[in-house]
Amino acid sequence: MTTADLLDPAAFGAVGITARIHTRDRFGDGAYANSACTGEKTLTQTLGGPGAHFRGLMTGTHTDPDDPTMALDRADQVAREVAADARSPALAQNFSERLLLEEVPCQDEPPGHWVYGRTTTLEPAPGLSASWMGTYQGSLNTTGAAPEGKEPCGGIAVLRSGNHYGVLEVDACLGTAAMSSIVRTALSQL
């Protein structure tokens, strides 16, 4: 597993993002998903696994002093991917299932709070899968769940490919077709 297994800026150009995207990489431990829903846990706290590769994709060059994969100005963050090698396909499947289960409660939030939409699962081949959920702004959440028939604005995906697993957060406001494309690209590179 290397940074070559992670998304690059060209993937976002393919779905219409024309701004220049900068990448920042690091290896180690840290937060891996939307802390506003799942809490401030690190990957090691959740899985007990070794370090992971972190990649931030952003339109600005100023990064968080505590984590260079996070843009200092949240509006500059396009996406962030965290991926690692689980050392076996069975363990990668276990880790990806656990990571997905952490995000599922975010599909049920009080009206007015942002919420994830239903889970879409892609399984293009054995040992290769991705499950993703779109993000919906609080103004669209009037019932405690994502509205039907509305487009998401980015989202989160949990990926698994052989021994590799990962989490991809997309902050750019991408709809269903663009999110599906990005998730497929991330999965093919993982």
Side-chain angles (χ1 to χ4, degrees), residues 104-110 115-116 141 143-145:
V104 168
C106 308
Q107 293 173 317
D108 182 21
E109 293 288 342
V115 65
Y116 284 142
N141 175 8
T143 63

Side-chain angles (χ1 to χ4, degrees), residues 33-186:
N34 196 323
S35 61
C37 174
T38 60
E40 289 289 339
K41 292 185 286 189
T42 68
L43 202 56
T44 299
Q45 288 170 327
T46 299
L47 302 175
H53 290 276
F54 288 72
R55 170 166 286 171
L57 298 114
M58 56 203 85
T59 56
T61 57
H62 300 290
T63 62
D64 186 314
D66 297 325
D67 185 346
T69 66
M70 298 294 293
L72 193 57
D73 180 349
R74 190 77 177 143
D76 291 342
Q77 193 80 33
V78 174
R80 185 166 178 257
E81 187 174 11
V82 179
D85 189 333
R87 298 183 302 275
S88 79
L91 196 53
Q93 180 174 355
N94 176 285
F95 284 176
S96 63
E97 288 171 357
R98 287 167 58 190
L99 291 168
L100 182 61
L101 285 173
E102 286 230 320
E103 302 303 319
V104 168
C106 308
Q107 293 173 317
D108 182 21
E109 293 288 342
H113 190 281
W114 71 267
V115 65
Y116 284 142
R118 64 178 177 78
T119 305
T120 300
T121 301
L122 312 169
E123 293 182 276
L128 197 63
S129 67
S131 295
W132 70 272
M133 297 172 268
T135 302
Y136 292 84
Q137 305 298 333
S139 61
L140 296 175
N141 175 8
T142 59
T143 63
E148 289 297 322
K150 298 282 187 187
E151 283 294 306
C153 184
I156 191 164
V158 177
L159 314 165
R160 178 177 62 92
S161 176
N163 293 352
H164 299 168
Y165 66 95
V167 176
L168 172 65
E169 290 179 272
V170 177
D171 295 290
C173 195
L174 301 181
T176 302
M179 276 296 295
S180 289
S181 176
I182 287 292
V183 169
R184 286 183 187 280
T185 302

Side-chain angles (χ1 to χ4, degrees), residues 3 6-25 55-59 78-79 81 174 182 185 189:
T3 55
L6 304 177
L7 274 179
D8 60 29
F12 290 91
V15 295
I17 295 180
T18 57
R20 179 160 185 232
I21 297 175
H22 306 273
T23 60
R24 298 291 183 270
D25 296 325
R55 170 166 286 171
L57 298 114
M58 56 203 85
T59 56
V78 174
E81 187 174 11
L174 301 181
I182 287 292
T185 302
Q189 286 187 221

